[in-house]
């Protein structure tokens, strides 16, 4: 393996290790020393790749987003209909979120560059979600009288509430997400759409 390959491999290892530590303990709790120690490298080597923790956090989020996009593309290719796409992507999203310490999401708000990247990614996804919702109307699984502009705003606001509020820390992110998001999804679905949701929940053992 070339030195360049070794360098790239270490770069990715740093990102994935840091992501794991940030998710588990929160961003503030994790120091650059902790990341270097977890990797078994010197802090000097770590700083050759990343100047500071915010840069590492930012690059880590972009890397995780890219990996999620690849998984999402595979889900979309294999899904049977619009509702299965939405539910499968929701399941993927929750699997990623449920491993995180809630402190992680609260502390993200302190990093402007990260906030802007998340907003950019969210705006990009909203266009795709609107297209799926419109396809869902054509398939007869979503109600035609639904204002999806309002719905998307409510869902986005709910996700922020779920991941940052301290009011329901005795409930997991997974429990709260299923209660909030699935309720909205059922509400805008036709009888046909609701049946698909119930079948998916039963098949995939989603608990509410």
């Amino acid at each position: 393996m070339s030195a360049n390959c070794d360098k790239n491999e270490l770069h990715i290892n740093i990102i994935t290790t840091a992501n794991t530590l940030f998710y588990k303990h929160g961003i503030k709790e994790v120091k650059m020393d902790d990341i270097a120690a977890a990797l078994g490298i010197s802090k000097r080597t770590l700083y050759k790749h990343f100047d500071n923790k915010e840069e590492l956090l930012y690059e880590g989020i972009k890397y995780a987003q890219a990996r999620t996009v690849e998984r999402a593309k595979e889900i979309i290719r294999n899904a049977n209909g619009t509702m299965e796409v939405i539910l499968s992507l929701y399941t993927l999203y929750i699997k990623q979120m449920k491993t995180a310490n809630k402190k992680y999401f609260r502390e993200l708000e302190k990093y402007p560059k990260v906030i802007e990247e998340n907003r950019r990614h969210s705006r990009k996804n909203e266009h795709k979600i609107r297209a799926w919702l419109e396809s869902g109307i054509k398939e007869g699984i979503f109600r035609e009288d639904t204002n999806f502009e309002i719905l998307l705003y409510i869902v986005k606001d709910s996700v922020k509430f779920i991941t940052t509020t301290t009011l329901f820390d005795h409930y997991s992110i997974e429990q709260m997400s299923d209660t909030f998001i699935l309720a909205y999804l059922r509400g805008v679905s036709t009888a046909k759409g609701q049946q698909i949701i119930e079948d998916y929940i039963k098949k995939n053992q989603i608990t509410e």
Side-chain angles (χ1 to χ4, degrees):
M1 185 181 291
S2 68
N4 188 52
C5 288
D6 287 339
K7 182 180 179 181
N8 290 338
E9 184 177 344
L10 177 57
H11 194 84
I12 297 301
N13 284 342
I14 292 171
I15 287 173
T16 54
T17 299
N19 278 351
T20 299
L21 292 173
F22 290 148
Y23 251 51
K24 184 176 181 181
H25 303 291
I27 302 164
K28 184 179 179 181
E29 188 75 19
V30 178
K31 312 300 181 187
M32 294 294 270
D33 293 293
D34 299 321
I35 298 167
L39 286 157
I41 62 175
S42 68
K43 196 160 69 167
R44 180 179 178 182
T45 300
L46 177 58
Y47 277 111
K48 285 182 179 179
H49 289 263
F50 298 98
D51 291 335
N52 52 60
K53 188 162 68 172
E54 182 171 6
E55 181 189 352
L56 178 49
L57 176 65
Y58 175 75
E59 291 299 327
I61 285 174
K62 287 180 64 177
Y63 178 79
Q65 287 172 347
R67 292 285 303 274
T68 299
V69 167
E70 290 305 310
R71 294 193 198 101
K73 287 179 180 177
E74 184 178 353
I75 285 172
I76 293 167
R77 283 196 299 268
N78 298 325
N80 182 24
T82 299
M83 185 66 86
E84 188 172 323
V85 168
I86 292 173
L87 289 168
S88 297
L89 291 177
Y90 170 75
T91 301
L92 171 64
Y93 180 65
I94 294 305
K95 280 182 179 178
Q96 294 172 337
M97 286 178 58
K98 73 179 183 180
T99 61
N101 188 319
K102 286 186 180 180
K103 288 193 296 184
Y104 169 82
F105 297 107
R106 295 166 192 155
E107 290 166 358
L108 281 177
E109 299 296 313
K110 300 176 183 178
Y111 298 90
K113 189 176 178 181
V114 171
I115 292 171
E116 184 52 40
E117 172 59 26
N118 282 336
R119 285 174 180 165
R120 184 200 65 79
H121 188 70
S122 178
R123 286 193 297 267
K124 188 176 179 180
N125 285 338
E126 281 178 19
H127 294 297
K128 297 175 184 177
I129 295 171
R130 285 193 182 94
W132 290 328
L133 294 173
E134 289 170 4
S135 295
I137 291 176
K138 294 175 183 177
E139 292 175 19
I141 59 175
F142 293 133
R143 295 169 55 99
E144 293 184 14
D145 59 352
T146 301
N147 187 320
F148 289 118
E149 195 72 29
I150 296 174
L151 176 67
L152 284 172
Y153 178 83
I154 292 173
V155 169
K156 186 165 61 174
D157 205 51
S158 295
V159 170
K160 183 176 180 180
F161 173 77
I162 289 165
T163 55
T164 59
T165 183
T166 59
L167 295 174
F168 300 102
D169 278 355
H170 51 295
Y171 291 110
S172 68
I173 287 177
E174 186 177 20
Q175 288 173 311
M176 291 184 65
S177 296
D178 287 349
T179 299
F180 275 77
I181 309 304
L182 291 181
Y184 292 135
L185 195 57
R186 285 190 180 102
V188 299
S189 297
T190 61
K192 177 183 176 182
Q194 289 174 3
Q195 187 59 57
I196 295 173
I197 293 171
E198 301 314 315
D199 291 343
Y200 183 90
I201 289 173
K202 190 178 296 183
K203 179 181 178 182
N204 293 275
Q205 298 181 334
I206 294 178
T207 56
E208 297 178 79

